Amino acid sequence: MPTRKPSITDVARIAGVSYQTVSRVINDAPDVNAATRARIQEIIAEVGYRRNRSATSLVTNRSTSIGIVTDGSPRFGPVGTLLSLEREARERGYVVTVVAANEPYEFSIQRAFDTLDEIGVDGIIVIAPRLSMAEATRAASVRVPVEMIAAGASGTPNVFTYSEDQELGARMATQHLIDLGHTDIAHIAGSMDWFDGRVRKSGWETALAGAGLRPGLCLEGDWTPRWAYEVGLRLIEEGRIPSAIFAVSDHTALGLIRAFVENGVRVPQDVSIVGFDDLEGSDYFLPPLTTVRQDFPALARGTMEVLLGAVEGREVDRTPSVPTLVVRNSAIPAA
């Protein structure tokens, strides 16, 4: 016969405490002394207790699940956001149900919302990197709060937004090049169908305007290293290599660097490059890449706090999370 799963009552009996004390430890309530908390956590690990989320839902009269809608993009930003959100939700005691929505979004977003509504989620987070996905999200209907992660996008009465301040990150990257004495600063940009591409371009323009500089060369593409490599080759062929480049992503910087180095253009001696993302391994590019680091854990914490604030009807701080400039060796003072 299968053995009975240990219950919260079993944990309380072994620890010699009340059911309520164990519950407070499980829910990370602050009013349990450190020694008791440690003892209960040891017993939970020893007996293999796992919370019964269905029972918790009945007792608290609320769901313990949130939904996340993603476009299934393999790009660094959406994937990093999704993984951090799942981890943050789990640490807060929520189960995450992820649904992918594909183009055309006007149909797939509503289907995703309907699926999550049937499951009975408390709220929905939409990772919406593209403008068309955001438009479909605003137009769809659902009975629970909906939050959209879309850099620089405005909310509506039915859909509120949260994001990292990527426009600030782009200003930081560009300002670093300005501070190094560069005046001819190009931007190899992402697609303007993406919120990230738009706000990073805007940050580049704003930083240059603040320094009294005119925007240099700007080319918009598809974020891939291959496209950036081809751009680098074209710049060499046309003799249009600027003093410095703010690349929209580390992958873009990677493609540029390869094209330049293969053709005798030195980085950073001939052209300084700053990326965006702090992709794993960017410190091992040749040269190690100066870049802007996205703080995905902070983004996830802020996103969850905003969503749960809406669920619980309380006001929360909606200040965007802030990226960090990581200075390495791919950008040096202008000659």
Side-chain angles (χ1 to χ4, degrees):
M1 294 180 62
T3 58
R4 181 178 67 86
K5 294 181 178 179
S7 68
I8 191 172
T9 305
D10 295 326
V11 175
R13 175 178 51 79
I14 297 170
V17 298
S18 67
Y19 170 101
Q20 290 82 2
T21 299
V22 177
S23 179
R24 286 197 291 272
V25 171
I26 292 170
N27 290 287
D28 202 25
D31 53 343
V32 180
N33 72 64
T36 301
R37 182 183 300 276
R39 172 65 175 152
I40 291 172
Q41 289 172 336
E42 287 177 3
I43 293 170
I44 287 173
E46 289 173 3
V47 303
Y49 168 74
R50 295 290 183 271
R51 182 190 306 197
N52 186 325
R53 297 190 181 276
S54 296
T56 300
S57 181
L58 290 173
V59 171
T60 61
N61 195 32
R62 70 173 178 85
S63 170
T64 57
S65 175
I66 65 165
I68 298 178
V69 179
T70 174
D71 71 342
S73 170
R75 303 284 181 221
F76 178 75
V79 171
T81 300
L82 175 60
L83 294 177
S84 294
L85 277 174
E86 192 281 330
R87 186 181 301 112
E88 179 67 20
R90 179 162 28 88
E91 290 176 355
R92 290 174 179 253
Y94 281 78
V95 171
V96 171
T97 300
V98 179
V99 179
N102 302 312
E103 294 185 281
Y105 293 122
E106 58 264 33
F107 303 110
S108 62
I109 290 291
Q110 187 62 64
R111 286 198 299 268
F113 283 4
D114 292 343
T115 297
L116 294 170
D117 195 24
E118 290 173 3
I119 293 172
V121 297
D122 242 353
I124 297 172
I125 297 170
V126 181
I127 302 172
R130 301 184 183 188
L131 275 67
S132 55
M133 189 174 182
E135 291 170 1
T137 298
R138 296 187 184 104
S141 61
V142 69
R143 294 179 293 180
V144 298
V146 175
E147 178 181 12
M148 186 168 63
I149 300 178
S154 58
T156 68
N158 299 322
V159 178
F160 48 98
T161 61
Y162 187 77
S163 67
E164 183 175 73
D165 194 343
Q166 294 192 37
E167 200 267 353
L168 171 62
R171 293 204 314 268
M172 294 163 63
T174 308
Q175 188 62 50
H176 178 64
L177 292 169
I178 293 170
D179 292 343
L180 290 172
H182 295 281
T183 56
D184 179 16
I185 303 173
H187 180 40
I188 306 305
S191 169
M192 293 300 107
D193 291 335
W194 284 57
F195 287 104
D196 295 2
R198 290 191 168 206
V199 296
R200 295 179 194 184
K201 180 183 179 183
S202 175
W204 166 72
E205 292 171 335
T206 300
L208 291 175
L213 299 174
R214 295 177 59 184
L217 175 71
C218 181
L219 298 173
E220 300 169 10
D222 65 1
W223 304 85
T224 64
R226 179 184 179 88
W227 173 81
Y229 176 77
E230 293 171 350
V231 166
L233 295 179
R234 190 162 74 247
L235 293 178
I236 294 168
E237 181 181 352
E238 297 173 358
R240 290 200 296 166
I241 299 174
S243 169
I245 295 174
F246 165 45
V248 72
S249 70
D250 291 354
H251 276 136
T252 301
L254 178 63
L256 289 169
I257 291 171
R258 178 179 170 183
F260 291 154
V261 172
E262 284 183 347
N263 290 275
V265 178
R266 301 169 301 168
V267 179
Q269 293 88 346
D270 298 326
V271 55
S272 287
I273 298 178
V274 175
F276 199 114
D277 285 336
D278 196 26
L279 186 72
E280 182 179 3
S282 59
D283 50 339
Y284 283 91
F285 285 14
L286 190 63
L289 185 66
T290 294
T291 185
V292 176
R293 176 180 297 155
Q294 296 196 69
D295 190 342
F296 291 120
L299 173 63
R301 286 192 299 272
T303 300
M304 283 295 299
E305 186 63 21
V306 170
L307 180 67
L308 297 182
V311 170
E312 297 163 8
R314 55 183 171 84
E315 288 296 323
V316 298
D317 183 7
R318 299 192 181 188
T319 304
S321 58
V322 178
T324 304
L325 180 69
V326 181
V327 178
R328 297 193 180 107
N329 305 114
S330 61
I332 60 174

